[in-house]
Amino acid sequence: AHSKVESSTITFSAVISACENGGEWEKALQLFSLMTHVMLELDTITFNAVISACEKGGQCQKALQLFSAMAQQSKVELDTISFNSAISACQKSGEWERALCFSRTMVHSRVVSD
C-alpha cells in the first residue's frame, strides 16, 4: 500500500510539472488541491512544481503562500528550487526586501544556492 501512495504522489508531481512547463498554473493548483483533498503525501518535488507553476504564471502571491505552507510542513524540506522560486516571485511582484529576506534565510538554513 505504501508504494501505491508513493507512486500516486510521483504521478501527481509529474503532471503538476507538466502543467508548470505548459504554463497551466491553474491546472497545477487544482491538482495540488486534489492531492491535499484525497490526503496524498506532499513532498518537496510536488511543492516546488506548484510554486514554480504559480510563479511562472504571474501568481506571485499564491506562490509565496505555497512557499509558506511548505515551510510549515515537518516532512517537507525547503531546497534551492523552493527558495529560488520564492525569490523570483518576490522579484516579479516588486518585493525586493522580501526577496532579500529569503536569501538570508537560505544562507542561515545552509541551503546551497546556485
Side-chain angles (χ1 to χ4, degrees):
H2 179 65
S3 64
K4 186 176 181 181
V5 170
E6 192 174 291
S7 64
S8 295
T9 299
I10 292 168
T11 302
F12 267 88
S13 294
V15 176
I16 289 170
S17 289
C19 291
E20 169 200 352
N21 292 330
E24 297 288 337
W25 68 269
E26 292 161 315
K27 285 188 180 17
L29 207 49
Q30 289 170 353
L31 289 166
F32 183 80
S33 294
L34 179 60
M35 284 182 76
T36 59
H37 182 71
V38 298
M39 293 185 265
L40 283 176
E41 186 175 324
L42 302 172
D43 62 11
T44 301
I45 295 167
T46 308
F47 267 102
N48 284 346
V50 74
I51 290 168
S52 185
C54 289
E55 176 265 320
K56 288 178 181 174
Q59 303 303 308
C60 298
Q61 291 306 314
K62 189 64 184 169
L64 294 171
Q65 289 170 358
L66 288 163
F67 180 87
S68 293
M70 181 181 184
Q72 294 172 8
Q73 298 286 318
S74 59
K75 294 182 180 181
V76 179
E77 196 171 308
L78 297 167
D79 64 7
T80 304
I81 296 168
S82 315
F83 278 99
N84 284 345
S85 293
I87 290 167
S88 181
C90 290
Q91 175 189 7
K92 288 181 178 178
S93 62
E95 297 184 49
W96 65 269
E97 292 167 326
R98 196 167 179 189
L100 190 57
C101 181
F102 281 132
S103 294
R104 287 185 186 132
T105 302
M106 192 173 167
V107 170
H108 292 308
S109 301
R110 302 202 192 298
V111 174
V112 178
S113 62
D114 58 358

